[in-house]
Amino acid sequence: GELFVRGVVGERFCVRNSGATAVVEGVGDHGCEYMTGGQVVILGEHGRNLAAGMSGGLAYVLDLDPRRVNPAMVDLEPVSADDADRLRETVARHAQLTGSPVAERLLADWDGALCRFTAVVPRDYKRVLEATRRAEQDGRPVDEAIMEAARG
């Protein structure tokens, strides 16, 4: 499913998200905790302990404060070229559905806004994505490659 919120949400937002797309304009403590899939876009401030136990999915955070992220299972990266278009489409959908002035300002200078986003990427999830990509390029069974990646 999808959730677009023109405003700030409370604590533990998207805990155990396993496949939904969600866009919010701020989140309290423990956002994306134990997340296993899906995509979260945070267009505002975030509380402490972001991404604790996050093993899957992706979060894109505007003006991320790395001191408020739980680094145990995730890496913080620039938004990849592959993900930049999808992120822009998600922010544009948020603007369209909610009339968000926050999203409108970002879209008005997307090139400037994009560099303000940080991707929160679970390490295990990244290994699986890379194994999938390599298997597809090599013509190997994807399931086999994922199992190999999971074994480490």
Side-chain angles (χ1 to χ4, degrees), residues 3-26:
L3 175 70
F4 297 90
V5 177
R6 180 180 168 175
V8 178
V9 296
E11 293 186 358
R12 300 197 186 293
F13 182 72
C14 272
V15 168
R16 299 201 184 277
N17 179 20
S18 62
T21 294
V23 181
V24 297
E25 296 178 356

Side-chain angles (χ1 to χ4, degrees), residues 77 123-137 145 149:
E77 304 177 356
R123 290 181 200 102
D124 290 342
Y125 186 66
K126 185 176 181 177
R127 274 201 312 271
V128 168
L129 291 176
E130 289 172 356
T132 299
R133 182 185 50 76
R134 283 192 309 271
E136 288 171 345
Q137 286 176 342

Side-chain angles (χ1 to χ4, degrees), residues 54-79:
M54 184 178 175
S55 62
L58 296 167
Y60 302 100
V61 184
L62 183 69
D63 299 329
L64 179 125
D65 180 349
R67 298 169 301 174
R68 297 178 146 235
V69 175
N70 185 317
M73 297 176 67
V74 299
D75 291 324
L76 305 178
E77 304 177 356
V79 176

Side-chain angles (χ1 to χ4, degrees), residues 28-105:
D29 294 342
H30 315 292
C32 303
E33 190 175 37
Y34 303 116
M35 195 167 133
T36 61
Q39 171 184 287
V40 174
V41 180
I42 301 172
L43 303 177
E45 292 184 20
H46 63 90
R48 66 183 173 82
N49 204 33
L50 183 75
M54 184 178 175
S55 62
L58 296 167
Y60 302 100
V61 184
L62 183 69
D63 299 329
L64 179 125
D65 180 349
R67 298 169 301 174
R68 297 178 146 235
V69 175
N70 185 317
M73 297 176 67
V74 299
D75 291 324
L76 305 178
E77 304 177 356
V79 176
S80 71
D82 292 339
D83 292 347
D85 288 339
R86 185 177 63 204
L87 176 59
R88 186 184 190 294
E89 289 170 13
T90 303
V91 172
R93 185 156 164 75
H94 177 70
Q96 173 193 17
L97 293 173
T98 68
S100 167
V102 173
E104 292 292 346
R105 282 191 300 273

